[in-house]
């Protein structure tokens, strides 16, 4: 439904009557006409209702000032100004590049004017829709009849079956009509980068400040492999952030490369820190190359930016100092950095190209912008051999890509353009900051305990807050100045139990309890650490969702303070093991898990587990080949010391690999094993608290095994 807003409170008959006639004409053309009460109301309407496709007002009364206000909200929105013969045109109008159309107040002209407005609305929608999406919609509207794949034929096949019909009705016709085969020449090709697909990539590159962009329809998991495969030929050495996503471990299993690692820090809360500046310097890298059998000077480096917990790097430092010709920022979590000035200098595509270097940024569009799952982008600044790059791209791409994913990825870019996009990000940032302040306020007002926020004491300025070496709040020791910054939209809440120095206190509330409580209320926490919870304030989080979260947190506190039973407070957990949880109360459970944490010295163990790396005996690629050849056996977790791990072992949280294929846990890296054992033990004590650990196999008796090479 298209909406036209009319700002018209004149009480002047010769002006009002033509407007009434116009309203009737517009309505007959299918527009909804609304009357905001004043300018503020109109501006709010434009902000809150993206279906407004035009504004009508009286030029004698409002003119240029109002145009500017509208422009700040949506510079493309058609403005229809009515003027009488005496109206003057402001000469600055041309400077503003406004989309203004002028009409005169005259009776009997309504149909004509409405027709022009209809055209202007069409033109407006045409400008804001990106090229591929437009071509796809046009194709669907034409309703061509094809004899190609997909076999459902625009949904027809589903409707020939009872189960299929239910499925069809759920999604609705357009989902199927727009799922078309790749053999439509008018839509071009994702794999050949032709036609509207090519236009979409160019549009995305312009939007994200890249020289070249690619749409990837199988997530950043795939985008990372494309970039890595192209940049690191067999036999080369790669520099990999040890806090990497598992897709990069898979890259190293697929490609015959030798890894050396950037060593990030980690604080006592278990929050992943950044990679210190020294790790990017040639001396450090030379030393690591010298110490690693088979390693050469690396050609390719990959860094997770931002970290899972929302820390962004000063990327300028990395780009300038890191000597590898290919520098890849895995920015799966931050596809929005190009749309707010607070991220300037903290992302891959910031600034100009660096001669002799190629900078990549891979982003999961679907994670924090609005796109279908798996929508992802690769952005490139610098020169790459395009045909070869495309071979790597095609190697990882289906020959039947889902056009719905392509279109939604392109739409995500369209949404972020111009003033409407800037406002979306700004609103997310503002909402996250006010949520942070609200938690602080509730903490001050609360009797007894309340949640805390992991952030600087002063968050009044809207920016990414620097991790200052002089400050204590972040819990990192000996960090570099002007190096890492906290993204305001990644909100980490802290539960009681741990001091900022990482010492465990006498009593505590493990975050997993809060997380389970929220889950039962339909609020899914992004990540749960020992005493911290991560929430993402993406553009889809509106004020009501933020308030619901606040409410649920205060409810948790109330229920905890009342010491409700597990049965009442966490029914889903209770149902997992009714005998075990019968009669148990929340404070008892919280304290018991807290004491286990103390007993195992969790923070210290977690810190150490990631501090001493296991030893690389062979490359991940070589270990994987051994596994494929069947040279593996399963042994109990405790017998893993001294054996070469076949798999990557990766606990959630923190969601980064602890042991990579081909690595040996030695006596020096024994904390790795102790840490894993502790996670298993906590799960064994309390049903419902099992940690999800990739690479460990749970046996019927509750013990765990691992795969090692024979
Ligand atoms: C999620 C994630 C990926 C993978 O992205 P998908 O779009 O889920 O395939 C890669 N890297 C990092 C750092 C991630 O968090």
């Amino acid at each position: 439904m298209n909406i036209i807003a009319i700002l018209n409170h004149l009480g002047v008959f010769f002006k009002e009557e033509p407007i009434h006639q116009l309203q009737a004409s517009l309505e007959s053309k299918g527009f909804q006409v609304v009357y905001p009460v004043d300018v503020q109301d109109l501006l709010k309407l434009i902000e809150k209702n993206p279906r407004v496709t035009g504004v009508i007002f009286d030029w004698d009364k409002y003119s240029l000032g109002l145009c500017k206000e509208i422009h700040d909200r949506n510079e493309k929105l058609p403005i229809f100004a009515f003027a009488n013969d005496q109206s003057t045109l402001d000469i600055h109008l041309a400077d503003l590049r406004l989309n203004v159309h002028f009409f005169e107040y005259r009776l009997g002209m309504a149909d004509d004017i409405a027709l022009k407005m209809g055209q202007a609305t069409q033109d407006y929608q045409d400008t804001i829709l990106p090229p591929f999406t437009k071509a796809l919609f046009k194709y669907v509207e034409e309703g061509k009849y094809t004899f190609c794949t997909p076999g459902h034929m625009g949904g027809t096949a589903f409707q020939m079956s009872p189960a299929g019909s239910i499925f069809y009705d759920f999604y609705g016709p357009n989902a199927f009509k727009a799922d078309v085969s790749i053999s439509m020449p008018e839509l071009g090709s994702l794999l050949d980068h032709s036609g509207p697909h090519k236009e979409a990539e160019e549009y995305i590159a312009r939007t994200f400040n890249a020289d070249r962009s690619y749409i990837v329809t199988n997530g950043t998991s795939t985008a990372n492999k494309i970039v890595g495969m192209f940049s690191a030929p067999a036999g080369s050495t790669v520099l990999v952030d040890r806090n990497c996503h598992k897709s990069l471990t898979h890259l190293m299993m697929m490609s015959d490369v030798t890894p050396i690692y950037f060593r990030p820090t980690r604080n006592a809360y278990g929050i992943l820190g950044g990679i210190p500046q020294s790790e990017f310097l040639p001396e450090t890298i030379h030393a690591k190359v010298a110490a690693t059998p088979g390693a050469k000077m690396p050609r390719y480096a990959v860094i997770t930016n931002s970290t899972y917990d929302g820390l962004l790097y000063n990327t300028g430092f990395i780009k300038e100092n890191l000597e590898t010709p290919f520098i890849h920022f895995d920015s799966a979590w931050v596809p929005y950095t190009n749309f707010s000035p607070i991220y300037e200098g903290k992302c891959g595509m910031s600034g100009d190209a660096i001669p002799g270097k190629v900078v990549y940024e891979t982003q999961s569009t679907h994670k924090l912008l609005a796109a279908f799952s798996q929508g992802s982008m690769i952005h490139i600044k610098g020169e790459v051999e395009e045909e070869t790059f495309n071979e790597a791209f095609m190697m990882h791409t289906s020959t039947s890509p889902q056009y719905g994913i392509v279109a939604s990825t392109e739409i995500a870019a369209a949404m972020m353009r111009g003033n409407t996009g800037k406002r979306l990000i700004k609103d997310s940032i503002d909402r996250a900051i006010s949520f942070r302040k609200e938690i602080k306020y509730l903490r001050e007002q609360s009797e007894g305990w309340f949640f805390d926020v992991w952030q600087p004491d002063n968050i009044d300025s809207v920016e990414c807050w620097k991790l200052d070496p002089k400050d204590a709040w972040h819990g990192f020791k000996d960090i570099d100045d002007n190096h890492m910054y906290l993204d305001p939209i990644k909100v980490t809440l802290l539960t009681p139990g741990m001091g900022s120095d990482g010492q465990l206190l006498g009593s505590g509330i493990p975050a997993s309890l809060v997380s389970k409580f929220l889950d039962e209320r339909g609020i899914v926490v992004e990540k749960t650490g020992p005493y911290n919870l991560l929430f993402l304030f993406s553009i889809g989080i509106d004020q009501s969702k933020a308030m619901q979260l606040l409410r649920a947190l205060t409810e948790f506190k109330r229920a905890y303070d009342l010491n409700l039973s597990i049965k009442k407070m966490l029914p889903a957990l209770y149902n997992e093991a009714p005998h075990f949880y019968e009669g148990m109360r929340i404070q008892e459970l919280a304290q018991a898990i807290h004491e286990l944490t103390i007993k195992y010295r969790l923070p210290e163990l977690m810190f150490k587990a990631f501090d001493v790396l296991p030893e690389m005996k062979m490359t991940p690629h070589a270990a994987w080949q051994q596994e494929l050849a069947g040279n593996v056996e399963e042994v109990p977790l405790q017998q893993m010391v001294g054996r070469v791990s076949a798999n990557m072992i990766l606990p959630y949280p923190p969601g980064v690999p602890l042991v990579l294929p081909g690595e040996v846990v030695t006596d020096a890296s024994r904390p790795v094993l102790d840490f894993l054992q502790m996670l298993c033990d906590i799960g064994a004590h309390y049903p419902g608290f099992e940690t999800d650990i990739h690479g460990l196999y749970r046996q019927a008796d509750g013990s765990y095994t691992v795969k090692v090479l024979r």
Side-chain angles (χ1 to χ4, degrees), residues 216 218-225 243-248 303-308 328 330-334 362-367 373-377 526 655-656:
V216 179
N218 195 19
T220 303
S221 303
T222 299
N224 284 348
K225 288 174 198 140
N243 282 350
C244 67
H245 183 256
K246 63 164 112 171
S247 55
L248 292 159
I303 298 127
T304 315
N305 184 52
S306 81
T307 65
Y308 208 157
H328 173 186
D330 178 356
S331 296
W333 283 108
V334 288
T362 50
Q363 298 175 334
S364 293
T365 318
H366 70 93
K367 275 188 182 163
S373 287
Q374 303 192 9
S376 170
M377 296 175 186
E526 176 57 41
V656 296

Side-chain angles (χ1 to χ4, degrees), residues 16-36:
E16 277 205 343
E17 196 46 35
I19 293 289
H20 286 155
Q21 286 187 354
L22 179 59
Q23 173 180 352
S25 291
L26 285 169
E27 282 171 352
S28 75
K29 288 194 171 341
F31 284 98
Q32 184 188 346
V33 177
V34 296
Y35 289 89

Side-chain angles (χ1 to χ4, degrees), residues 49-342:
N49 199 329
R51 288 188 173 79
V52 172
T53 54
V55 175
I56 296 174
F57 65 82
D58 184 79
W59 189 257
D60 296 339
K61 192 159 175 199
Y62 300 104
S63 72
L64 204 60
L66 179 57
C67 287
K68 282 199 183 110
E69 295 274 9
I70 295 172
H71 183 270
D72 286 348
R73 282 153 184 87
N74 182 352
E75 65 272 51
K76 300 271 195 307
L77 193 68
I79 298 172
F80 307 111
F82 274 78
N84 64 25
D85 305 340
Q86 272 85 51
S87 294
T88 53
L89 246 187
D90 195 305
I91 44 160
H92 298 299
L93 198 56
D95 304 344
L96 261 177
R97 309 235 305 292
L98 291 169
N99 189 4
V100 193
H101 306 255
F102 287 96
F103 298 99
E104 276 184 33
Y105 292 104
R106 254 195 247 145
L107 286 171
M109 299 293 288
D111 281 347
D112 249 21
I113 296 176
L115 189 73
K116 294 215 172 75
M117 289 184 176
Q119 279 162 0
T121 300
Q122 276 282 312
D123 291 347
Y124 163 67
Q125 290 178 334
D126 215 45
T127 10
I128 60 174
L129 266 194
F132 176 78
T133 306
K134 212 163 12 191
L136 182 65
F137 288 2
K138 181 158 170 273
Y139 176 85
V140 170
E141 272 158 24
E142 285 169 0
K144 284 196 186 157
Y145 188 72
T146 67
F147 283 90
C148 315
T149 58
H152 63 70
M153 295 287 158
T156 314
F158 288 111
Q159 298 182 82
M160 294 173 173
S161 133
S165 302
I166 297 172
F167 183 76
Y168 179 89
D169 292 345
F170 179 83
Y171 281 104
N174 280 342
F176 300 99
K177 286 189 199 152
D179 181 26
V180 299
S181 144
I182 55 150
S183 35
M184 303 302 146
E186 58 266 59
L187 295 178
S189 156
L190 180 73
L191 291 128
D192 298 337
H193 312 284
S194 60
H197 278 93
K198 183 183 171 64
E199 289 172 50
E201 289 177 341
E202 289 168 352
Y203 179 91
I204 288 172
R206 285 197 300 278
T207 310
F208 285 81
N209 195 26
D211 290 344
R212 180 81 172 84
S213 293
Y214 291 83
I215 298 168
V216 179
T217 55
N218 195 19
T220 303
S221 303
T222 299
N224 284 348
K225 288 174 198 140
I226 294 168
V227 165
M229 280 238 163
F230 169 78
S231 310
S236 67
T237 296
V238 296
L239 244 175
V240 180
D241 190 339
R242 188 73 192 190
N243 282 350
C244 67
H245 183 256
K246 63 164 112 171
S247 55
L248 292 159
T249 311
H250 284 141
L251 166 73
M252 294 186 280
M253 291 162 77
M254 293 162 83
S255 269
D256 185 6
V257 291
T258 304
I260 52 179
Y261 296 101
F262 289 122
R263 298 285 304 281
T265 54
R266 181 172 304 267
N267 73 6
Y269 298 119
I271 292 174
L272 313 175
I275 303 164
Q277 286 187 338
S278 60
E279 292 280 296
F280 299 107
L281 301 179
E283 309 84 273
T284 317
I285 295 167
H286 290 180
K288 286 184 189 180
V289 169
T292 311
K296 309 185 185 102
M297 277 311 288
R299 281 167 56 88
Y300 163 73
V302 52
I303 298 127
T304 315
N305 184 52
S306 81
T307 65
Y308 208 157
D309 303 276
L311 299 180
L312 291 153
Y313 289 92
N314 166 357
T315 48
F317 177 89
I318 299 174
K319 290 189 224 171
E320 275 159 35
N321 287 277
L322 191 56
E323 285 185 342
T324 54
F326 295 101
I327 302 175
H328 173 186
F329 293 99
D330 178 356
S331 296
W333 283 108
V334 288
Y336 49 81
T337 45
N338 197 43
F339 309 105
S340 164
I342 74 168

Side-chain angles (χ1 to χ4, degrees), residues 502-612:
Q503 286 307 104
L504 287 171
L505 308 176
S507 66
I509 305 175
S512 49
L513 289 172
V514 183
S515 180
K516 285 194 191 305
F517 181 84
L518 294 176
D519 197 58
E520 297 203 7
R521 273 148 196 78
I523 299 172
V524 181
V525 179
E526 176 57 41
K527 188 180 68 147
T528 308
Y531 296 92
N532 56 69
L533 304 139
L534 175 70
F535 300 91
L536 307 178
F537 276 67
S538 57
I539 56 176
I541 301 290
D542 55 20
Q543 193 58 25
S544 67
K545 291 204 180 89
M547 282 166 65
Q548 238 159 314
L549 173 56
L550 270 179
R551 215 191 107 196
L553 291 169
T554 53
E555 268 175 24
F556 178 91
K557 175 182 162 55
R558 212 176 139 259
Y560 180 88
D561 289 350
L562 288 172
N563 200 14
L564 296 186
S565 66
I566 301 299
K567 187 173 183 175
K568 184 142 189 225
M569 192 170 163
L570 299 166
L573 177 67
Y574 173 85
N575 286 332
E576 276 188 51
H579 287 304
F580 185 86
Y581 288 115
E582 190 59 53
M584 197 187 287
R585 295 189 168 271
I586 186 71
Q587 293 183 6
E588 186 190 335
L589 179 61
Q591 190 58 18
I593 298 180
H594 181 65
E595 277 164 18
L596 264 188
T597 311
I598 297 177
K599 179 178 148 209
Y600 285 103
R601 293 177 302 148
L602 181 142
E604 198 186 321
L605 204 53
M606 190 161 181
F607 188 86
K608 282 196 187 150
F610 287 89
D611 197 44
V612 188

